[in-house]
Amino acid sequence: MGQKKDLTGSEKSKIVRYLAEGCSSLKIAKLLKRDHRTIKRFIQNSQQGRKKRVDKPRRKITAHELRKVKRAAAKMPLATSLAIFQSCNITGVPKSTRCAILRDMAKVRKAERRPPLNKTHKLKRQDWAKKYLKTDFSKVLWTDEMRVSLDGPDGWARGWIGKGQRAPVRLRRQQGGGGVLVWAGIIKDELVGPFWVEDGVQVNSQSYCQFLEDTFFKQWYRKKSASFKKNMIFMQGNAPSHASKYSTAWLARKGIKEEKLMTWHPCSPDLNPIENLWSINKCEIYKEGKRYTSLNSVWEAVVAAARNVDGEQIKTLSESMDGRLLSVLAKKGGCIGG
C-alpha cells in the first residue's frame, strides 16, 4: 500500500461518505489504498475543526435604543457603527455586537460615484451623442482635473446605509485639504501633462486661463504644427471657471472657438475617457495602501504614474468614444460603463 503525503479533494469527499456509511478508518484506508495513519489524521483534524462555536452573549439593547439606532443610521449615511451608537448615547457595546445589530437594519456600502441623472440630463446627453457621432475622436483633446490627496482617493470610504436607502453621492474635492490638484489631457495616444495647479489657488476664470497659458499653451500647444492646431478639438468640463464668458472669449482669442471647442454637459464623467486614466493612475499612486506625508511626495508619485502610462492605453481610451456614444443612445442618455 503506497503512502502519499496529501489527500486529494476527491479522496476527502469519499472519506466523509464512507464515514457516514459506518466504515472504519482501517476499511477506508484499504478502499482508498492509502496509509491508515493518513486517514486517521484527516478524521481527527476534521473532528477538531467541527467543534461547536460558543457565541458570547450580546449586550442587551432595548427596543427604544434599537429605534434610536435605526433613526441615527438613516440620518448619518456612511457613518461607522461607533459613530452611530455614540450619537444615540449608547456606550459599552463591542464592535461585533454593534455590527450584528446594524446588519438587521442596514448594510455597509460605498458612496455612489456617479451623480444621479434627471430627465433633462439624459436628453442633453443624447443630443450630445448625436451631434458628435461622426467626429474623428483621434483629434479631440480630452482634459480634466484630478485631486490627489495624501491619504487616498476621495470616494473610497465605506459606511453603514439603512436598508432601502441609497448611498449618497460623494463628489471629488478639487480644492482645499491635504492634496494636489492635477490637470492633464489625452489626445490619440499622447498624454498632455500632468501639470500641478498651484496649491491654494482659487480656480476662477482668470486664474484658469492664466494656468492654461503658463502650462498647456506654452509647454505643449505652441510646439504643434499649424495643421494640428487647425484640426484639434478642445474638450473641457463645464465648471464655472471653464464655461464662463471670460474663459470662452479668452480661448476664442487663442483660436479655440465654435466647432473647435466641444460643448459639454453636467453629470457625465462616464463620457470623458480621461476619467479612466485617472483611475489607472490612482491605482498606481495608492498601490499597497500607500500614503504620503507631503505635497511634494504625492506630486512625485503623480509624475511617476504618468510616466508609466503606455501610449496604447491612451489610444484604447480615445478609440472607445464611438462605443460610448452608441451606448448613451442605446440607454437613452443613461449612465454607461466608462
Side-chain angles (χ1 to χ4, degrees):
M1 191 182 301
Q3 180 178 348
K4 298 179 182 178
K5 186 175 181 180
D6 295 320
L7 292 166
T8 66
S10 175
E11 287 174 326
K12 291 176 182 178
S13 299
K14 290 179 181 178
I15 292 172
V16 173
R17 190 172 70 250
Y18 288 145
L19 286 173
E21 293 173 356
C23 296
S24 66
S25 59
L26 183 60
K27 184 176 180 181
I28 293 172
K30 290 179 179 179
L31 289 170
L32 298 180
K33 298 182 180 180
R34 296 298 300 260
D35 185 79
H36 184 215
R37 291 169 296 178
T38 303
I39 303 298
K40 286 184 67 177
R41 192 181 306 115
F42 170 75
I43 295 172
Q44 289 170 356
N45 292 340
S46 299
Q47 290 173 341
Q48 290 174 359
R50 284 198 295 267
K51 285 183 179 179
K52 188 176 180 180
R53 177 182 172 184
V54 178
D55 291 325
K56 294 181 181 180
R58 291 187 194 175
R59 176 193 181 283
K60 289 186 178 180
I61 303 293
T62 66
H64 176 66
E65 288 176 326
L66 280 176
R67 289 194 294 272
K68 289 174 67 177
V69 169
K70 189 172 183 179
R71 285 195 297 268
K75 291 179 180 179
M76 303 167 59
L78 298 181
T80 64
S81 63
L82 180 60
I84 292 171
F85 274 72
Q86 284 179 340
S87 71
C88 301
N89 295 320
I90 302 173
T91 59
V93 183
K95 183 179 180 181
S96 57
T97 302
R98 295 196 304 264
C99 292
I101 291 170
L102 284 169
R103 283 191 201 102
D104 294 333
M105 62 184 73
K107 54 187 175 181
V108 175
R109 289 281 305 277
K110 279 187 178 182
E112 293 285 350
R113 290 188 175 186
R114 291 175 175 170
L117 296 173
N118 59 35
K119 186 176 181 180
T120 302
H121 292 150
K122 291 179 180 180
L123 289 173
K124 287 184 177 180
R125 285 162 60 92
Q126 291 182 75
D127 291 341
W128 180 87
K130 292 173 184 176
K131 178 179 179 179
Y132 289 103
L133 199 55
K134 296 182 179 180
T135 301
D136 181 358
F137 289 109
S138 67
K139 293 180 172 59
V140 177
L141 174 67
W142 305 94
T143 72
D144 191 29
E145 294 88 14
M146 168 182 71
R147 186 181 182 278
V148 187
S149 66
L150 301 181
D151 298 321
D154 300 326
W156 281 16
R158 301 170 70 92
W160 290 94
I161 294 289
K163 288 184 177 178
Q165 279 189 295
R166 181 174 180 174
V169 175
R170 182 165 177 165
L171 300 178
R172 296 178 303 164
R173 296 170 292 167
Q174 292 191 341
Q175 298 183 46
V180 298
L181 182 62
V182 181
W183 184 97
I186 58 172
I187 182 168
K188 197 175 181 180
D189 58 356
E190 185 177 357
L191 174 64
V192 182
F195 299 116
W196 183 353
V197 181
E198 185 180 350
D199 184 50
V201 169
Q202 182 181 0
V203 183
N204 53 33
S205 300
Q206 290 78 10
S207 61
Y208 172 66
C209 293
Q210 187 60 52
F211 168 79
L212 290 180
E213 176 66 33
D214 296 338
T215 56
F216 168 68
F217 282 101
K218 286 185 178 179
Q219 300 182 39
W220 187 81
Y221 188 73
R222 67 186 299 181
K223 300 176 184 178
K224 295 299 181 179
S225 66
S227 61
F228 176 90
K229 295 176 183 178
K230 181 180 178 181
N231 295 317
M232 190 197 79
I233 300 173
F234 187 81
M235 174 272 158
Q236 60 179 357
N238 60 352
S241 59
H242 299 176
S244 69
K245 291 181 179 179
Y246 180 94
S247 298
T248 302
W250 186 86
L251 286 171
R253 292 196 296 271
K254 292 287 185 178
I256 298 176
K257 57 184 177 180
E258 298 172 351
E259 71 277 0
K260 292 188 64 181
L261 182 61
M262 179 176 281
T263 56
W264 201 244
H265 37 80
C267 304
S268 297
D270 55 329
L271 297 181
N272 189 349
I274 199 173
E275 293 285 351
N276 300 81
L277 183 66
W278 292 146
S279 298
I280 294 170
N281 283 351
K282 284 186 175 182
C283 288
E284 179 68 21
I285 293 167
Y286 298 112
K287 66 181 179 182
E288 299 177 356
K290 177 73 174 176
R291 293 187 176 188
Y292 300 90
T293 56
S294 69
L295 299 182
N296 286 332
S297 63
V298 76
W299 171 247
E300 290 172 1
V302 170
V303 174
R307 287 174 181 164
N308 290 333
V309 174
D310 185 81
E312 285 299 317
Q313 287 179 302
I314 298 175
K315 186 178 180 182
T316 299
L317 293 177
S318 299
E319 292 177 347
S320 70
M321 287 308 303
D322 291 317
R324 296 185 195 221
L325 267 62
L326 292 174
S327 295
V328 170
L329 294 174
K331 294 190 175 185
K332 297 182 178 179
C335 283
I336 63 171

